[in-house]
Amino acid sequence: MNPFIKTDEGGSSMGEQTAVRSVERALDILLCFTDKTELSLTEISQRVGLNKSTVFRLLASLERKGFLQRNAENEKYRLGFRLWELSAHLSRVDDPAVMLLPEMERLRDVLDETISLYVRDGKERVRVQAVESKQTIRRVAPIGSRLPLSVGASSKILVAYADPETQKMILNELNWSSSKDKEEFMLQLLHIQQTGYATSIEEREVGTSAIAAPIRNGAGQLVAALAISGPVGRLTMEKMKEFAPIVLNFASRMGSMVK
């Protein structure tokens, strides 16, 4: 071991730790743009909790590599074209978000409500695909949205049909608010496993209902949650029970299409 390199107890150098921290900070900066098109240096600094000089250096590196662009007129930053290059290789023909889109559009035409596809990422669910209803009053479903796993029909599907070890990890690590009972949530999971689908009424968002079913591949592994959402006045519990056989049928057909 080089005696001039300071290491921690695990043996990694301080230089390695600094490099990793810089990467994490750069990624935090990129994640600032999930809900904004343009941000100033001050806004980014406030969002990531770092001083402006540090953020400015990281922004310069990201701009130099093409991950960010700076608008010379207003001095604000936006995502660069390098991210488009990376995203071009994300949607493959075997990607469920791409492969299942035609079936999602068919289901939308049958039920005339917004259709979403969710996958689990750690302790959150991510909407990876969506087809909005054609009705005037409809559920708007932005692709890329991250939502908690403790509420919502699709969240319950992703937890109920996870493998036992993953399910235990999720249930132990979720943040449970005083208004949400963990034991009641677990009872709901058992009921979902019996019926094959989950429902929610204004659990996460006022005025919205949803029904969801699991998409499982030929090996029985959970691939995604298929969700149908709409306004509570139209998507009532009675209507969701009426939709259930249709949703289950589409979910089963979609499962046969994925690996």
Side-chain angles (χ1 to χ4, degrees), residues 198-237:
T199 59
S200 64
I201 296 179
E202 297 186 305
E203 285 190 11
R204 190 191 64 81
E205 187 175 2
V206 176
T208 301
S209 298
I211 176 173
I215 295 177
R216 292 183 287 182
N217 60 21
Q221 298 169 324
L222 179 66
V223 175
L226 174 67
I228 293 79
S229 57
V232 291
R234 194 168 64 228
L235 198 57
T236 62
M237 183 59 73

Side-chain angles (χ1 to χ4, degrees), residues 24-248:
E24 290 178 343
R25 288 174 172 177
L27 292 173
D28 285 339
I29 288 175
L30 292 176
L31 290 172
C32 289
F33 294 88
T34 56
D35 62 345
K36 288 286 186 178
T37 302
E38 287 190 333
L39 290 168
S40 67
L41 170 62
T42 299
E43 290 171 325
I44 296 171
S45 176
Q46 292 172 345
R47 287 190 171 213
V48 299
L50 297 172
N51 61 61
K52 290 184 180 180
S53 59
T54 299
V55 172
F56 182 78
R57 289 195 298 271
L58 291 168
L59 288 172
S61 295
L62 290 168
E63 184 180 5
R64 190 163 54 249
K65 291 293 185 178
F67 289 99
L68 289 178
Q69 291 180 320
R70 185 171 61 87
N71 188 330
E73 294 182 1
N74 60 14
E75 296 297 320
K76 289 190 174 184
Y77 294 84
R78 62 165 55 229
L79 294 176
F81 291 116
R82 184 56 58 88
L83 288 170
W84 289 103
E85 294 178 33
L86 293 176
S87 65
H89 298 282
L90 178 64
S91 297
R92 307 181 307 273
V93 292
D94 59 345
D95 184 342
V98 177
M99 183 186 302
L100 301 179
L101 181 57
E103 285 297 306
M104 293 175 66
E105 292 174 337
R106 292 188 187 97
L107 181 57
R108 185 272 314 275
D109 293 340
V110 171
L111 302 182
D112 204 10
E113 296 292 357
T114 295
I115 314 299
S116 298
L117 195 68
Y118 291 92
V119 298
R120 182 183 67 84
D121 184 18
K123 294 182 287 184
E124 296 177 308
R125 58 180 162 113
V126 183
R127 185 183 291 116
V128 295
Q129 189 59 276
V131 181
E132 291 187 7
S133 167
K134 296 179 180 179
Q135 300 206 49
T136 303
I137 300 176
R138 61 182 182 271
R139 174 77 170 85
V140 177
I143 296 174
S145 297
R146 286 181 170 271
L147 303 167
L149 281 175
S150 56
V151 291
S154 56
S155 289
K156 288 182 278 192
I157 287 294
L158 292 173
V159 179
Y161 288 93
D163 63 81
E165 185 176 339
T166 300
Q167 186 183 97
K168 183 179 179 180
M169 178 272 293
I170 294 171
L171 292 171
N172 288 336
E173 293 187 6
L174 287 181
N175 294 321
W176 300 94
S177 64
S178 57
S179 61
K180 190 67 181 176
D181 184 74
K182 180 179 178 180
E183 298 301 322
E184 173 61 26
F185 186 82
M186 293 176 70
L187 289 175
Q188 290 183 39
L189 298 184
L190 293 175
H191 181 68
I192 290 165
Q193 291 169 350
Q194 294 171 354
T195 62
Y197 66 93
T199 59
S200 64
I201 296 179
E202 297 186 305
E203 285 190 11
R204 190 191 64 81
E205 187 175 2
V206 176
T208 301
S209 298
I211 176 173
I215 295 177
R216 292 183 287 182
N217 60 21
Q221 298 169 324
L222 179 66
V223 175
L226 174 67
I228 293 79
S229 57
V232 291
R234 194 168 64 228
L235 198 57
T236 62
M237 183 59 73
E238 291 73 19
K239 179 61 70 173
M240 287 192 284
K241 288 180 179 179
E242 179 184 325
F243 283 174
I246 301 172
V247 177
L248 289 170

Side-chain angles (χ1 to χ4, degrees), residues 1-7 12-15:
M1 180 184 295
N2 187 335
F4 298 102
I5 298 178
K6 184 178 180 181
T7 63
S12 61
S13 69
M14 295 300 291

